[in-house]
Amino acid sequence: MQVQDTFGYALHLAQTGRKHKQTKALKGFGSAGVLEIVEDAGNATFRAVYTVRFDNAVYVLHCFQKKSTKGIATPQPDMNVIHERLKVAEAHAKGERSD
């Protein structure tokens, strides 16, 4: 429940133009427009990735439990999901349909 509370509060802050203390820019996106929240619970680490690049909404791009044992880097399959969902969010924000 602590993870959900942290993510929910961080997203609430993002909607009001503020940033949670556990939020940082996700590397590989060239700006602070794609952010991640990291929360540890027990022996697990959870992440929520969202974007504030668009004026009209905060888009949650991906939430997942990090299972990689190769340091703190976001695993490539998760990065692929984030990139694809960012494209969909951009199209949605522009009013385009994405089928």
Side-chain angles (χ1 to χ4, degrees), residues 43-88:
N43 293 332
T45 299
F46 297 88
R47 295 182 180 189
V49 178
Y50 65 95
T51 185
V52 293
R53 284 187 179 178
F54 314 110
D55 292 334
N56 60 342
V58 172
Y59 288 88
V60 177
L61 304 174
H62 194 33
C63 294
F64 59 100
Q65 179 180 354
K66 185 175 178 305
K67 295 182 180 180
S68 174
T69 58
K70 298 180 181 179
I72 62 170
T74 303
Q76 191 59 48
D78 291 305
M79 290 297 286
N80 294 342
V81 168
I82 294 164
H83 279 285
E84 287 303 312
R85 290 182 180 167
L86 181 59
K87 290 177 190 175
V88 172

Side-chain angles (χ1 to χ4, degrees), residues 6-51:
T6 299
F7 289 176
Y9 183 59
L11 292 169
H12 166 73
L13 291 175
Q15 289 174 325
T16 60
R18 297 177 289 166
K19 189 171 138 182
H20 191 276
K21 64 182 179 181
Q22 289 173 232
T23 301
K24 62 180 182 176
L26 182 60
K27 293 180 182 178
F29 289 90
S31 74
V34 177
L35 304 159
E36 75 173 334
I37 312 155
V38 179
E39 177 72 346
D40 293 321
N43 293 332
T45 299
F46 297 88
R47 295 182 180 189
V49 178
Y50 65 95
T51 185

